[in-house]
């Protein structure tokens, strides 16, 4: 791993740091909008009070924290492959460039000692998974990496009910921040009640530490909905997804290509509003992750992370 000077100093001093994926740079908007977006996301982390650490792969090394030149290089070079957690060893061995996903970013963040990660939306169990077995590597990595994940829920193109069942089965804590439902990316509501609602950053920080103190070996998921003024109506999105899924089946679109196919279909139906919503959640989750990382850093520096060592009745 190669740390940027800023990230290295922050980790050394115990300052709050938030990890970010680089897949947003390489597989999102065209250049130069992708570079501008990456910088805005980093600025949002700083607005929350933390140091951003955008992660990428280059020259057989994992970059922990990108400089402005790094972001520009990743944004302007075409053909950089997406590298999930299963791809990391191969990409590193070949010495090329790779853009990290949620799953591979969690691997790198844990190795680097960064306890918080922000993403617009996580992967999950795909619709029809009972036949296709199409389940995102994100969910598997949540069971392995001790990193708190801050997001706007899971994408509407997924089977959100089965996604929540998977997380429950694998004992991944899920809380929503100041909201009663599990959000659906660019839709505020999913119709699925959140397992737990927490309204204060300090309480979330204690819950994260308690999970790991109790022997939890994986992630802690914090979901917060998109801003109301930027949200897309869930009924409109669901109708577009059903139609697009039928078209994808007829055209034989499967595997990794299916997500992009469905997302483009939704963007077309919403006339670009879903793309704007995507930008909104990128910023809002990054800023929230920064604030939560600050609360967590303050907690751990106090020396009693979970607040559980004081016997009942003693204060």
């Amino acid at each position: 791993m190669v740390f940027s000077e800023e990230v290295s100093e922050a980790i050394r001093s115990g300052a709050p740091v938030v990890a970010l994926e680089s897949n947003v740079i390489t597989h999102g908007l065209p250049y130069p909008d992708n570079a501008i977006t990456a910088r805005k996301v980093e600025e949002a982390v700083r607005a929350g009070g933390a140091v951003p650490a955008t992660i990428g792969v280059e020259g057989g090394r994992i970059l922990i924290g990108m400089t402005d030149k790094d972001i520009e290089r990743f944004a302007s070079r075409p053909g950089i492959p997406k590298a999930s957690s299963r791809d990391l060893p191969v990409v590193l061995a070949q010495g090329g460039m790779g853009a990290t996903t949620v799953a591979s970013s969690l691997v790198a963040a844990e190795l680097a000692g960064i306890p918080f990660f922000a993403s617009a939306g996580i992967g999950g169990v795909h619709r029809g998974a009972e036949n296709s077995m199409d389940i995102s590597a994100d969910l598997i990595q949540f069971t392995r990496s001790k990193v708190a994940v801050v997001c706007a829920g899971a994408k509407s193109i997924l089977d959100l009910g089965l996604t929540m069942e998977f997380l429950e089965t694998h004992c991944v804590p899920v809380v929503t921040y100041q909201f009663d439902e599990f959000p659906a990316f660019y839709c505020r509501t999913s119709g699925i009640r959140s397992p737990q609602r927490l309204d204060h950053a300090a309480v979330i920080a204690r819950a994260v530490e308690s999970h790991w103190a109790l022997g939890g070996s994986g992630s802690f998921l914090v979901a917060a909905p998109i801003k109301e003024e930027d949200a897309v109506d869930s009924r409109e999105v669901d109708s577009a997804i059903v139609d697009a899924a039928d078209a994808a089946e007829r055209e034989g679109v499967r595997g990794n290509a299916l997500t992009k196919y469905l997302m483009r279909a939704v963007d077309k139906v919403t006339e670009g509003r879903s793309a704007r919503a995507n930008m909104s959640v990128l910023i809002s989750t990054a800023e929230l992750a920064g604030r939560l990382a600050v609360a967590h850093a303050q907690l751990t520096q106090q020396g009693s992370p979970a607040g559980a060592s004081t016997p009942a009745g003693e204060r």
Side-chain angles (χ1 to χ4, degrees), residues 178-258:
Q178 299 181 348
F179 201 64
D180 290 325
E181 284 191 28
F182 185 73
F185 196 51
Y186 36 56
C187 303
R188 283 179 67 83
T189 60
S190 65
I192 300 173
R193 189 169 182 83
S194 171
Q196 300 284 345
R197 169 179 171 158
L198 295 177
D199 292 346
H200 304 287
V203 177
I204 292 176
R206 288 199 297 272
V208 169
E209 274 303 293
S210 294
H211 172 53
W212 293 331
L214 289 165
S217 58
S219 300
F220 188 107
L221 190 63
V222 181
I226 185 174
K227 294 178 181 178
E228 198 162 355
E229 61 268 26
D230 297 327
V232 180
D233 185 83
S234 58
R235 291 166 297 184
E236 181 182 9
V237 170
D238 196 61
S239 176
I241 291 170
V242 170
D243 292 343
D246 289 341
E249 181 65 27
R250 291 193 300 270
E251 296 174 24
V253 180
R254 294 184 179 84
N256 293 340
L258 182 60

Side-chain angles (χ1 to χ4, degrees), residues 272-284:
R273 283 179 287 122
S274 60
R276 292 191 292 274
N278 193 356
M279 172 67 77
S280 175
V281 294
L282 278 169
I283 301 300
S284 62

Side-chain angles (χ1 to χ4, degrees), residues 122-126 129 133-144 154 158-174 182 192 195 218-219 221:
I122 61 169
V125 179
H126 279 263
M133 289 296 291
D134 193 348
I135 300 174
S136 170
D138 296 356
L139 296 187
I140 306 301
Q141 202 60 50
F142 291 158
T143 70
R144 300 175 179 177
L158 304 168
D159 188 319
L160 299 185
L162 288 183
T163 297
M164 294 297 283
E165 289 290 346
F166 183 100
L167 292 168
E168 179 186 3
T169 298
H170 290 275
C171 305
V172 177
V174 178
F182 185 73
I192 300 173
S219 300
L221 190 63

Side-chain angles (χ1 to χ4, degrees), residues 139-157:
L139 296 187
I140 306 301
Q141 202 60 50
F142 291 158
T143 70
R144 300 175 179 177
S145 297
K146 293 175 68 173
V147 179
V149 177
V150 184
C151 65
K155 298 178 179 68
S156 303
I157 61 173

